[in-house]
Amino acid sequence: MGKKHETPLLDELKKGKWVSFVREIERAAEKSERTEDLLGQVENSYRDKITHWKHGGMAGVRGYGAGLVGRFTEFPEKYPGVKECHSMRVNQTSGFFYNSDILRKIADIAEQHAGGLLNLHGSTGDIQILGVWQEEAEEAFQKCAELGFDLGGGGSDLRTPSCCVGPARCEFANYDTLQICYDMTQAFQDEMHRPSFNYKFKLKFSGCSNDCVAAASRSDMAFIGTWKDKIKINQDEVKNYVKKFNVQKYVLDKCPTKCMLFEGENLVIDDSNCVKCMHCINEMPKALRSGDEKGLSILLGAKAPLVTGPRLGMMLVPFYDVLEDSKNDYEWLKGLISNMWEFWDEYGVSRERIGELMQRVGVVTFLEGIGLEPIPEMVNHPRGNPFIKFTDDED
Amino acid sequence: MGKKHETPLLDELKKGKWVSFVREIERAAEKSERTEDLLGQVENSYRDKITHWKHGGMAGVRGYGAGLVGRFTEFPEKYPGVKECHSMRVNQTSGFFYNSDILRKIADIAEQHAGGLLNLHGSTGDIQILGVWQEEAEEAFQKCAELGFDLGGGGSDLRTPSCCVGPARCEFANYDTLQICYDMTQAFQDEMHRPSFNYKFKLKFSGCSNDCVAAASRSDMAFIGTWKDKIKINQDEVKNYVKKFNVQKYVLDKCPTKCMLFEGENLVIDDSNCVKCMHCINEMPKALRSGDEKGLSILLGAKAPLVTGPRLGMMLVPFYDVLEDSKNDYEWLKGLISNMWEFWDEYGVSRERIGELMQRVGVVTFLEGIGLEPIPEMVNHPRGNPFIKFTDDED
Amino acid sequence: MPEEVKKKRITDIGPHDFHDYLPPVIKKNYGKWAYHEILDTGSMVHVAENGDKIYTVRMGSPRLVSGSFVRDLCDMADKYCGGYLRFTTRNNVEFLLDDKNNIEPLKKDLEKLGYNVGGIGNVVANIVHTQGWVHCHTSASDASGVVKAVMDELYEYFVEDKLPSKVRIAFACCLNMCGSVASSDIAIMGMHRKVPKIDSEKILNLCEIPSTIAACPTNSIRPDTKDGKQTVKINDETCVFCGSCYTVCPAMPIADSLNDGISIWVGGKVSNARIKPTFSKLVIPFIPNDPPRWPKVVEAVKTIITAYKNGAEPGERVVEWIERIGWTRFFKITGFEFTKYHVDDFRLAETTMNYSSQVRF
Amino acid sequence: MPEEVKKKRITDIGPHDFHDYLPPVIKKNYGKWAYHEILDTGSMVHVAENGDKIYTVRMGSPRLVSGSFVRDLCDMADKYCGGYLRFTTRNNVEFLLDDKNNIEPLKKDLEKLGYNVGGIGNVVANIVHTQGWVHCHTSASDASGVVKAVMDELYEYFVEDKLPSKVRIAFACCLNMCGSVASSDIAIMGMHRKVPKIDSEKILNLCEIPSTIAACPTNSIRPDTKDGKQTVKINDETCVFCGSCYTVCPAMPIADSLNDGISIWVGGKVSNARIKPTFSKLVIPFIPNDPPRWPKVVEAVKTIITAYKNGAEPGERVVEWIERIGWTRFFKITGFEFTKYHVDDFRLAETTMNYSSQVRF
Ligand code: SRM
Ligand code: SRM
Ligand code: SRM
Ligand code: SRM
Ligand code: SF4
Ligand code: SF4
Ligand code: SF4
Ligand code: SF4
Ligand code: SF4
Ligand code: SF4
Ligand code: SF4
Ligand code: SF4
C-alpha cells in the first residue's frame, strides 16, 4: 500500500528505542484514511519548521459550549483529510481506570468518527479523540455518552477535574481522591459544559503531599491529602530499614524540620513540628504511616505563566475534613467554591485566573470576599515591610 | 540647685539598672545651661505623647552643604535654650578608635559650643554633637577641624563611611577595613560635603561576612571581606574542640552547603562548595582560618523602606582584590564608583536610591550602564518565568 | 414511548463511574493498602493490610496513540490481568495483575510488540507533553518529535534504575505551558523570538481590541489606526514574544520558521517531600528548531542528566543537587553559558537576586 | 604670614587618621591576630600570632551621653589602659587593655560609677536606636526612653550569657528606620496611624508638589486646588501612614498624640553565618505609646526573649529558631495574635505566601 504523502523527515522518528508516535499516526491512518493527510501536514511542518494549523474556528455539540477544540489546516486543498481536525475531550474516569472492553469501544469511536488517534490522556486529564469533523461530532459524542462517558471541559469553564490513583492502589492516600473527583465532576456538570466563567478553572486531587497529579502546580484549586495527628511508627520495621540503609542520613537528616530522632534504637517524631512532607514515609513505607485524623489541604491559584507569571498553589485551607463533609454532600466545600466563583465573577476580569485575582486585590481582601480568616499557615512569613494599612476598626 | 523644669515622667527613666539617658541629659545641662530646656521640651513630649520639634529650618557652615542637621523647637518661648538645637555630625575615626586626650577635647567643644550632649555615635557612624546654635557652628566646626576632625555627610551626598574594627582587633578580617574606609572618605571629601546626588549614598566596610557594621543591610555599597582559596585547618585544634563540644552537630551540620566532613579524626572541607559564610570559623577560631587569597565582595543597594520597600545588599562583585587595587590608588574601585554615580546621575530621579534605580531599570540594564557582566553569583537562581527579551544580537 | 426514551439525547452525565473498572482485588482492598515495594523499573507490588497483593507492570507510551495501540493494550490486559489496566498521570500504561507469575510473560509480550517496560523508581519518567505541530496553531516547535528524540537518547534511564532520584521531564510547545512544565526537573519549552505580525486588514473582524491589549504581560500593545481603520501597534522594545496576544487574537501571528526554537529549564519540583515545590529555572534560553531529531536539545538534556547522575547524592532531586552545589557550579559543570537572559527581569525579578555575600569560588 | 596661615579656614581634611589612636599592641599586631576567647560577658582576649594579647572590657552606653560621661570614660582609660578606648558599631564602649590584671579593677570601677559591663557573647546587645522626641520632628515615639525601659527589663541578658545565641535589638522612631532595624532579631518601630493633615495655606511655600507626590509609596497623593491655590489631596483608602510625604513636605504633619505608637518585628539577621541575611517580620502591628515606661512594649520583648530562650537550640539565632518551629507555633507560643496586618500587601507581597502543603498542626 503506497503512502499518500512522502514523509522522509518523520520517518527519522520511527528509529530508536522509544515507542514512536509517527508509527502510531501511521497505524491510525491505516484505519482512518483522513489521517494520511495529518501525516502529510506534519511532514510539511517538519520541512517548514512551523505549524500549519489555523487559529480558531468553531466546533462543538448542541447545548455544550465546551468539549471540542476546533482545528483547521492552512492547506485544505493539499490535506483535505484535516480540513477539519477537531479534538474531542472525553471525560476520563477517576484515576484513569479502564478495562479492555470499554477501551476497545472508545477506540472504535475514534476510528469510526475521527482520525483513529487518541491522546491517552490530555494534559488536563481528558481522553482526547483527535481528527473529529464537525458533521460527525454529535454522533461521536452520543456514542461516548452511551458508554457512560460525557465530554470534558474547555474554554472559560470548569475544566475536567483529575486525581491521583489514591486509595485504589496507594497506601499513602489520606482521602478518597477518586470519589471526590467523581463527585465534584458530577456536581458541576453545568459549569463544565457551558462556559460562563472569566477564564478556565481547574480542580485536581492528590492523596498526599507527593502530589502525583501535580495539582499544586497546575490547578486553580489543588486538594492535597494530609493528616493532623501523629505518624504511626512500627519500630520493628524501622529496625529492618536501619539494617538496609543509612536511615539517619537519608531520612532523619533530610526531614525539613529535623523533627525526628533516634532514642536508642527507637525512632521518635516530634509531630507538632512535622510539616507532613511525606519524605520519611516515602523512604520507609513499611515502618511509617500517616495518622488517623486524615483530611486534605486546599491550595489556591496555581497556573501557567500568562499573563502575570506562573503561580504555584498557595495554602488556603490547611485542614479540611472531607470525609465528614462528604456526609453532607460536601456542603462546606461547595459553599467555599461558590463563594470563590461569585467573588471571581464580581471582581475578576476576563482572562484573569482566580490566583491572579487574589494577587491583584490582595490576599486579605480576597479572603474577606470568600469568607475565610487570615492565618499564619497561609504565609511563609509575616510581612517584612512597614506599610501597614491600619483600618478604623482598630481604634 | 533647683531644676528649671519639673520632669516627673522623665524621672521615671532614671530608675532601673541600665544607664540612663535622662541622667545624661541632666549632667549635660549642668555644663551647658541651654540643655535644661531640652529636658523641659522632652518632658513636654512625654506628657503630650508627640514630638515638639519643627520640621526643617536651615543650619550649616560656610562652603558645606552638609554636616549640620537643623532643628528648631515648636515652643521657642517656653524653651529658648533649644530655639535652635542643631546636630553637628563630626566624622568619626575608622573603627571608632580614640584616646582620652582627644575625647576630652571633643567633650570640651560639645560643652562650650553646644548642649554638652553627644551621640557616640550616630547610626551612620558620626560623632554627633547635639544642641548647636547656628551662630557658633563655624567656631565649633573649626575647633573640631583643628583637632583633625572634619564634618560628616548629610542630605543628598556621600554619607560618612564606616567600618568594623577589622584587622585592628579581629582575626577574621580579610582586608584592611579601617584603611580603605579612611582612604575612601578622604578621596570623596567633596562628594561628602557638597550634596549633589539624587539622594544619599552610603559606604560601609566589614572585614568578613559576619558583617559587624551591618553594611549589607544599610549601605548602598557594602564591602564584605572574603577569600577565594581554602580554609586553613589546624587539625590539632579541631581535636581540642571535638573534646569541648559536639562539632558534628553544631558546626558541620550547620554548614549551609554541608561541605565539611570528618575523615577519621581529620576535618575535610570541600572548599569549592564553601560559601564563605564564616560559621565554622566563628565556632572554632583557633582551628580554622580563612585562606590566603583574601579580598572582598561588593554588595549593592541596601536601604531603608521608603519609598519602594526595604532592600538588602545584592551581590554585585563576588571578589575584588582590594590589596592589589590599593597599590594603584584604588583605580578600579574608583572607576566602578564613578560609573555608578554617573549612571545614577543620568538615569536616577530625585530621592531614588541606587538600589531602587537598579530595580527600576532592571539589573541587566544597570550592569550594562556601569560596565559589569551578569554572572550567576548575582542571582539566587536564574529566571523562572519565560518572558525573555531576546535581542537582535542573538540572530 | 420506549422508542423515544432510547433516542433521548444523553447529556450532563459526567464521566463513567470508576468503580466499574477497578479490579476485584482493588475493590476489596480499596483504601486498605499497607505498603508497596518496587520490584524493578517495570513492576511493583502493593500489599494490603490483609496481605492481598496487586502487581503493577508499567509501560511507556507516546501518548499520541492509535486505536491499534489501544487494542494491543487490551489484548495484553485480557491475557494477563482480567482486562484491567489504567493510565498514569504521566501517560504511562499500568497493567494491574493479581498473579505475580504473569509479570515476566507480560513484560516479554510487551517488548515483543515493541513497547517499553519501565518508568518506576529512580528513572526518567515518561515526558509529559503537548500537541506541537500535530495539532496546535500556537506552537513554536513540535512536541512529540522532540520527546521521541529525547526519550530515545534517555532510554536507558527509563528501563534502568540508576539515577539519584526521580527525574521528571516535561515539554510544552509554547509559553501557555499545557505540558505544565513550570515545575519539572527538566523542562523543554518552545520559544518564539519575533514580535507578532499585525494583520490590520483582519484584526477588527477577528479580534476584540481591548482584550488583546489586556492580554499583554508587558503592556506592549497600544491602539492604533491604519488607513482609517482601528488596529493595534506593538512596542518592539518591550515585547517578549510570549504569544499571549496571538492566543486571543488570530490576526497577530507570531510563529516564524527561522526564529522559533526551544529553551531548557531545570530544577523544578512538584512534590512537598523535603523541600517545597518550586519552578524550573532557565538554563538554555534558545536552541533553534532542528527537526527531525533536535540534536542540540537532546544533547543538552543528556548533559544535564549526566551531570546530575555524577554529582547528586542518593535521594536528591535535581533542584536539591543544584542548590547544594550552587548555580555557578551548575553552569560550570554543564558548560552552559550564563547570559543576560538568565537574570530575571519580569515582575518579581528583584526577589530572585542574591542578597548575601554567600558565593562559591 | 604665620598669622595668616594660622587663621586659614580648615576644610575637607576628612576624619582624623585612626592610626593615631591605636594602642601600641594593636599597632604592632595589626592584621596579625590569631584567635580570640570570650572570658565573660564583659571581657574578651584577642591573641596575636606572636602570642601578644589585647584584652577588651565592654561597657554599655545609652549613646546619648554627656561630656561628663565622656570624661568618666577617659579617666578609666587613663587609669587602666593608657587612655585607649573605642566604641563599637552598636554604641558600646570598649576599653583596650594590655594587662589582664586590670580587667577586674576596671570593671569594678565602672560598676561603681553606675555603668554596665557586659554585652559580649550570647547576650542581648546594646539596642541600636535613633533620636525620638529628643531630636527628631518625624518620630512616632520616643527612642531613648523605650530603649531604657526595655534594657532595664533585659538587663540580666546583657550581663549574663544565657541565650542560645546573640540577640540584636534595634529601635527606630519612624519608618525611615535610622536605627537600621530592618534586619534585627527584634525590631521596635514607631508607627503613625493617621493620614497626614494637609496645611494648604503653607504647602506651596514649603513644599515642591511633584516631589511630594512622588514620595508616596502607594500613589495616594494627587494634586488639588483649594481656594484657588495649588495643594494636594490624599486618598484615605490607600494611605499607609508611612510619613514619606511629611519627610519631603513639612506642610503634611502626620504625628498624632492619640494614634501614634509602636510595632514589634522579629527574626531579622545581618550576618551571613549559616543562613543568608533577612528582614525582620511583623509580630505586633501596634501598641499605643505609653510613656514613660512603655510597659506593653517591654512585656512583648520579654515574651519573645523568654520564648526564644526556652525554645531555641544552642547557636540558633531568633530567625533560625522560628523557621525551625514555624510561624504558626511562634504565634501560639508567644500568644501574639495573627491578624490581617501580618499578611503582606505591599509590592512583593505575593512572594511571601506559603506555596506548598507544608504546615504544622
Ligand atoms: C490539549 C491540551 C494539551 C495536550 O496536548 O494535552 C491543551 C491544549 C491547548 N491549550 Fe492548554 N491544553 C491542555 C492542558 C493545559 C494545561 C495542563 C493542565 O490542565 O493540567 C495547562 C497549564 C495549567 C493551567 O491551566 O494554567 C494549560 C495552559 C493553557 C493556557 C495558559 C493558561 C494560563 O492561564 O496561563 C492556554 C492559553 C489560553 O487559555 O488562552 C492554553 C490553550 C490551549 C489551546 C486551546 C490553544 C490556544 O491557544 O487556544 C490548546 C489547543 C491545542 C490543540 O489544538 O489541541 N492552555 N493547558 C491539554 C488539554 C487536554 C485535556 O483536556 O486533557
Ligand atoms: C541622626 C540619625 C539617627 C541617629 O539617631 O543616629 C538620623 C537622623 C535622621 N534621618 Fe536617618 N539618621 C541616621 C542614620 C540613618 C540610617 C542608618 C545608617 O546610615 O546606617 C538609615 C537607614 C539606612 C539607609 O540609609 O537607608 C537612615 C534612613 C533615613 C531615611 C530613609 C532613607 C531611605 O532611603 O529610605 C530618611 C528619610 C530621608 O532621607 O528623607 C532619614 C532622615 C533622617 C532625618 C534627617 C529626618 C528627616 O526626615 O529628614 C533625621 C534627623 C533626625 C535628627 O533631627 O537628629 N534617615 N538614617 C543617623 C545619622 C547619624 C550619623 O550621621 O551618624
Ligand atoms: C502512578 C502515579 C500516580 C497516578 O495516579 O498515576 C504515581 C505513583 C507513585 N508515586 Fe508518584 N506517581 C505518579 C506521578 C507523580 C508525580 C506527578 C508528575 O510527575 O507529574 C509526582 C510529582 C513530581 C515532582 O515532584 O516533580 C510524584 C511524586 C512522587 C514522590 C515524591 C518524590 C520526591 O522525593 O520528590 C513519591 C515518593 C517516592 O517516590 O519516594 C511518589 C511515590 C509514588 C508511589 C511509590 C506511591 C505508592 O506508594 O504507590 C507510586 C509509585 C512510584 C513510582 O512510579 O516510582 N511519587 N509522582 C504517577 C506515575 C507517573 C508516571 O507514569 O511516571
Ligand atoms: C565589636 C564589634 C565590631 C565593631 O567594629 O564594633 C563586633 C565584634 C565581634 N564580632 Fe560581631 N561585632 C559587632 C557587631 C556585629 C554586628 C552588627 C550589629 O549587631 O549591628 C553583627 C551582625 C548581627 C546580625 O547578624 O544581625 C555581628 C555579627 C557577628 C557574628 C555572627 C553571628 C551569627 O551567628 O549570626 C559573629 C560570629 C560569632 O559571634 O560567633 C561575630 C563575631 C564577633 C567577634 C567574635 C569577632 C572577633 O573575633 O573579634 C567580636 C566579638 C563578638 C562579641 O561581641 O561577642 N559578630 N557583629 C561589634 C560589637 C557590637 C556590640 O557592641 O554589641
Ligand atoms: S499523591 Fe500520594 S496518595 Fe496519591 S498516588 Fe501519589 S503517593 Fe499515592
Ligand atoms: S513527614 Fe516530613 S516533616 Fe514530617 S517527620 Fe517525616 S520527613 Fe519530617
Ligand atoms: S565583620 Fe568580621 S572582620 Fe569585622 S569585626 Fe566582625 S568578625 Fe571581625
Ligand atoms: S565557611 Fe560556612 S560554608 Fe564554608 S565551610 Fe565553613 S560553615 Fe561551610
Ligand atoms: S503548549 Fe502552546 S502550542 Fe503547545 S498545545 Fe499548549 S497552547 Fe498549543
Ligand atoms: S507577544 Fe506577548 S509581549 Fe509581545 S505584544 Fe504579544 S502579548 Fe505583548
Ligand atoms: S527613625 Fe524617623 S523619627 Fe527616628 S530619627 Fe530617623 S527620621 Fe527621625
Ligand atoms: S503617609 Fe505615606 S502613604 Fe500616606 S500619603 Fe503620605 S506618603 Fe502616601
Side-chain angles (χ1 to χ4, degrees), chain D residues 61-204:
Chain D
S61 156
R63 187 183 82 124
L64 176 61
V65 299
S66 64
S68 309
F69 177 99
V70 173
R71 288 176 215 283
D72 284 349
L73 305 186
C74 294
D75 294 345
M76 292 294 112
D78 284 342
K79 187 164 169 194
Y80 293 109
C81 45
Y84 292 103
L85 79 173
R86 72 176 290 268
F87 295 81
T88 71
T89 59
R90 297 188 76 87
N91 308 314
N92 283 312
V93 182
E94 291 186 338
F95 296 93
L96 304 162
L97 292 70
D98 48 18
D99 184 352
K100 190 178 173 160
N101 296 318
N102 281 331
I103 297 180
E104 289 310 316
L106 168 57
K107 285 186 185 174
K108 285 221 181 75
D109 270 7
L110 288 172
E111 275 156 15
K112 235 181 282 162
L113 290 170
Y115 294 117
N116 317 120
V117 176
I120 302 179
N122 299 321
V123 298
V124 169
N126 200 349
I127 300 184
V128 164
H129 63 280
T130 46
Q131 299 294 333
W133 295 335
V134 172
H135 204 264
C136 193
H137 58 284
T138 318
S139 43
S141 176
D142 186 36
S144 311
V146 183
V147 168
K148 163 75 175 143
V150 172
M151 283 307 283
D152 278 343
E153 181 71 30
L154 300 183
Y155 184 76
E156 56 180 312
Y157 296 107
F158 183 78
V159 298
E160 293 170 50
D161 183 313
K162 51 184 185 178
L163 289 170
S165 181
K166 294 177 188 315
V167 176
R168 306 302 206 189
I169 308 183
F171 178 96
C173 21
C174 85
L175 307 197
N176 282 338
M177 287 200 187
C178 299
S180 29
V181 314
S183 299
S184 305
D185 293 294
I186 303 178
I188 313 176
M189 185 157 58
M191 302 294 284
H192 300 291
R193 283 192 313 162
K194 284 284 152 191
V195 176
K197 292 168 203 104
I198 301 163
D199 186 340
S200 294
E201 289 305 307
K202 297 202 186 134
I203 196 163
L204 255 186

Side-chain angles (χ1 to χ4, degrees), chain B residues 269-285:
Chain B
I269 302 181
D270 170 11
D271 288 88
S272 70
N273 206 18
C274 163
V275 290
K276 322 305 180 197
C277 86
M278 288 297 295
H279 176 65
C280 57
I281 301 180
N282 289 339
E283 295 299 312
M284 310 198 290

Side-chain angles (χ1 to χ4, degrees), chain C residues 258-275:
Chain C
L258 295 175
N259 284 288
D260 289 349
I262 279 176
S263 58
I264 312 271
W265 306 70
V266 153
K269 174 173 175 289
V270 170
S271 82
N272 291 271
R274 301 172 303 284
I275 64 167

Side-chain angles (χ1 to χ4, degrees), chain A residues 143-205:
Chain A
K143 284 210 171 156
C144 289
E146 277 158 25
L147 299 177
F149 283 85
D150 204 335
L151 300 189
S156 292
D157 72 357
L158 177 67
R159 294 305 181 88
T160 309
S162 184
C163 64
C164 78
V165 67
R169 200 212 46 203
C170 182
E171 73 273 27
F172 298 154
N174 289 298
Y175 69 100
D176 193 341
T177 53
L178 295 86
Q179 189 63 49
I180 188 174
C181 181
Y182 180 76
D183 290 343
M184 289 298 125
T185 310
Q186 291 295 356
F188 296 119
Q189 282 293 297
D190 193 39
E191 287 79 359
M192 274 180 64
H193 298 316
R194 290 155 206 103
S196 65
F197 292 163
N198 290 313
Y199 203 9
K200 56 189 80 167
F201 194 95
K202 295 183 178 174
L203 301 176
K204 291 194 204 292
F205 304 87

Side-chain angles (χ1 to χ4, degrees), chain B residues 292-312:
Chain B
D292 289 318
E293 226 182 307
K294 294 170 194 285
L296 58 83
S297 302
I298 304 178
L299 277 63
L300 199 85
K303 59 170 293 292
L306 290 164
V307 179
T308 62
R311 296 182 64 88
L312 291 166

Side-chain angles (χ1 to χ4, degrees), chain A residues 247-272:
Chain A
V247 171
Q248 177 68 44
K249 178 168 176 187
Y250 293 113
V251 183
L252 278 65
D253 289 353
K254 295 207 164 194
C255 167
T257 63
K258 307 278 177 299
C259 66
M260 319 172 85
L261 59 93
F262 276 111
E263 280 185 357
E265 292 202 314
N266 274 359
L267 180 66
V268 179
I269 302 181
D270 170 10
D271 288 88
S272 70

Side-chain angles (χ1 to χ4, degrees), chain C residues 51-71:
Chain C
D52 281 0
K53 291 181 179 164
I54 182 123
Y55 299 92
T56 299
V57 170
R58 191 179 289 174
M59 168 197 131
S61 155
R63 189 184 80 123
L64 177 60
V65 299
S66 64
S68 311
F69 177 99
V70 172
R71 290 177 213 284

